[in-house]
């Protein structure tokens, strides 16, 4: 669009892409779009009776229709996940009718992160081993070049990132913070249940219990089962591209067991984590040696909500958990309720 006159913006070019927008980035004049696509296949369609071109997503502009992603640019991970397809399309920001490059994978798209040189798309699923299920995140890397994003490598780590701030690239290496949680999987006949460590789970019984399978007959009552896996913890991984693989070259695991991750930031050779139970620890990470990352500092902050920083200083934003306060507006006869108050702090980071 033409926004030279901000009071009267004009559409100068328009393009339409099949799918729903997950996220987008504007890097070096290239508009990178991450889309979720569900192929439109008629319910009455006989498998194999429809041409593949008829179900592939389309790119439309100026009255013309073309394939959004040619079938040769569709990738299938070793372990496909989900019912959706993820498309990474690159447009010329100066002319959105110009589709420079596109690639797609058979996977869901969750957290999206981009540096100035690469785009990362994550997909989380569960893996079960010996009745223990644990969340695993697959990371797909797309290098950003003259023609936009091109797929180069994939890797996987335990746990799930919180948001895009849980990822950060530095000197070509990707740092990734995840919350790790294991679940006990138990089976009783046709019924399956899961439970979180530290609790007692109820194994479904026959049709008289809430977990009974449809059509099941009453056999035996539900019974309790102990759950072995531990509660949540936080891990940090350092991934480095090795051909078509993103290999884990360094990691810190089992940070503050029993607490959830609430915030993460990566800045140059440092990382910052906030976990939560009652009092929130703020962790400082030394990532100067990507093969041997380590926790170098910890500070207990009451109800910390997040953090950011630069060089040797870090800013914390905290919720003081004060009781709610009722304020009456005499001008409008309205009553406003304010929640917990916020506190901002500035902390110095020791470089030792």
């Amino acid at each position: 669009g033409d926004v030279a006159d901000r009071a009267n913006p004009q559409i100068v070019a328009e393009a339409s892409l099949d799918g729903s927008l997950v996220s987008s980035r504007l890097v070096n004049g290239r508009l990178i779009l991450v889309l979720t696509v569900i192929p439109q296949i008629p319910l009455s369609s006989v498998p194999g009776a429809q041409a593949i071109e008829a179900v592939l997503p389309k790119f439309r502009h100026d009255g013309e229709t073309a394939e959004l992603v040619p079938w040769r640019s569709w990738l299938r991970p070793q372990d496909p996940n989900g019912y959706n397809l993820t498309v990474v399309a690159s447009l010329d920001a100066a002319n959105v009718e110009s589709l420079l490059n596109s690639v797609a994978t058979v996977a869901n798209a969750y957290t999206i992160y981009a540096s100035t040189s690469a785009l990362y798309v994550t997909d989380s699923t569960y893996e079960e081993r010996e009745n223990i299920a644990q969340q695993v995140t697959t990371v797909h890397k797309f290098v950003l070049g003259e023609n936009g994003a091109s797929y180069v490598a994939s890797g996987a780590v335990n746990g799930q990132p919180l948001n895009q701030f849980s990822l950060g690239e530095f000197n070509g290496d990707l740092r990734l913070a995840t919350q790790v949680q294991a679940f006990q999987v138990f089976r009783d006949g046709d019924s399956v249940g899961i439970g979180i460590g530290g609790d007692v789970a109820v194994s479904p019984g026959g049709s008289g219990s809430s977990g009974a399978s449809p059509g099941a007959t009453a056999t035996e009552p539900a019974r309790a089962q102990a759950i072995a896996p531990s509660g949540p913890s936080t891990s940090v991984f350092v991934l480095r591209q090795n051909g078509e693989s993103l290999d884990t070259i360094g990691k810190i695991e089992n940070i503050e067991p029993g607490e959830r991750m609430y915030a993460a930031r990566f800045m140059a050779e440092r990382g910052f984590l906030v976990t939560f139970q009652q009092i929130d620890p703020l962790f400082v990470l030394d990532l100067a040696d990507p093969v041997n990352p380590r926790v170098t500092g910890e500070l207990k902050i009451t109800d910390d909500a997040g953090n950011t920083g630069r060089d040797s200083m870090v800013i914390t934003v905290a919720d003081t958990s004060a009781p709610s306060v009722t304020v009456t507006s005499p001008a409008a006869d309205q009553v406003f309720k304010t929640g917990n108050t916020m506190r901002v702090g500035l902390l110095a980071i020791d470089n030792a």
Side-chain angles (χ1 to χ4, degrees):
D2 183 358
V3 293
D5 182 358
R6 298 185 180 183
N8 187 31
Q10 301 292 321
I11 296 177
V12 296
E14 184 175 352
S16 173
L17 295 78
D18 285 349
S20 58
L21 182 66
V22 177
S23 190
S24 63
R25 297 293 188 274
L26 182 61
V27 182
N28 299 327
R30 301 296 182 244
L31 178 60
I32 313 299
L33 304 176
V34 181
L35 308 169
T36 291
V37 175
I38 302 177
Q40 301 301 311
I41 302 176
L43 295 177
S44 60
S45 175
V46 177
Q50 203 166 22
I52 189 172
E53 291 78 11
V55 298
L56 291 179
K58 300 298 188 291
F59 175 74
R60 302 175 181 84
H61 68 94
D62 198 25
E64 299 181 0
T65 300
E67 292 180 355
L68 177 58
V69 185
W71 69 267
R72 293 182 181 275
S73 295
W74 285 85
L75 307 176
R76 180 186 183 276
Q78 292 182 348
D79 297 309
N81 175 47
Y83 299 98
N84 300 328
L85 309 174
T86 297
V87 171
V88 179
S90 304
L91 308 180
D92 184 349
N95 177 18
V96 295
E97 294 182 347
S98 176
L99 178 63
L100 301 176
N101 192 30
S102 59
V103 63
T105 181
V106 183
N108 293 325
Y110 288 97
T111 303
I112 312 298
Y113 165 77
S115 66
T116 57
S117 60
L119 174 80
Y120 297 89
V121 178
T122 74
D123 175 22
S124 296
T125 185
Y126 286 91
E127 290 186 357
E128 181 186 344
R129 297 176 183 175
E130 299 180 353
N131 293 330
I132 303 297
Q134 181 168 285
Q135 203 158 25
V136 175
T137 293
T138 300
V139 182
H140 303 293
K141 179 180 180 180
F142 300 81
V143 67
L144 300 179
E146 179 65 25
N147 289 326
S150 300
Y151 171 81
V152 290
S154 295
V157 298
N158 290 332
Q160 181 180 25
L162 185 64
N163 50 38
Q164 64 175 340
F165 298 107
S166 299
L167 296 87
E169 189 187 72
F170 184 66
N171 289 338
D173 295 331
L174 177 68
R175 290 84 60 85
L176 174 60
T178 66
Q179 178 177 295
V180 180
Q181 173 74 69
F183 300 88
Q184 177 80 46
V185 179
F186 55 88
R187 294 174 173 80
D188 189 0
D190 294 331
S191 299
V192 179
I194 62 172
I196 302 174
D199 297 326
V200 175
V202 177
S203 172
S207 60
S209 70
S210 61
S213 302
T217 58
T219 54
E220 56 185 61
R223 61 180 182 273
Q225 294 187 11
I227 301 175
S230 60
S233 65
T234 301
S235 295
V236 174
F237 302 91
V238 182
L239 306 181
R240 178 174 293 173
Q241 183 180 344
N242 178 19
E244 294 185 353
S245 175
L246 290 178
D247 296 340
T248 299
I249 62 170
K251 59 184 177 181
I252 309 173
E253 295 182 293
N254 206 33
I255 300 173
E256 204 66 14
E259 298 197 359
R260 296 179 58 193
M261 178 176 65
Y262 264 69
R265 298 291 188 275
F266 293 102
M267 299 174 187
E269 297 179 348
R270 292 194 184 278
F272 303 91
L273 299 174
V274 174
T275 61
F276 175 79
Q277 189 175 43
Q278 294 296 329
I279 302 298
D280 292 4
L282 168 65
F283 294 93
V284 179
L285 312 178
D286 181 359
L287 303 170
D289 181 357
V291 179
N292 296 295
R294 60 194 181 97
V295 176
T296 58
E298 177 182 349
L299 178 66
K300 301 288 186 178
I301 302 176
T302 303
D303 296 317
D304 188 63
N307 60 80
T308 185
R310 188 173 183 86
D311 298 330
S312 60
M313 306 297 291
V314 61
I315 299 172
T316 66
V317 181
D319 181 346
T320 63
S321 293
S324 296
V325 178
T326 301
V327 179
T328 301
S329 170
D333 290 330
Q334 293 178 330
V335 176
F336 301 92
K337 287 188 176 181
T338 63
N340 300 338
T341 57
M342 305 301 293
R343 183 178 69 251
V344 178
L346 182 63
L347 307 175
I349 304 299
D350 189 351
N351 290 321

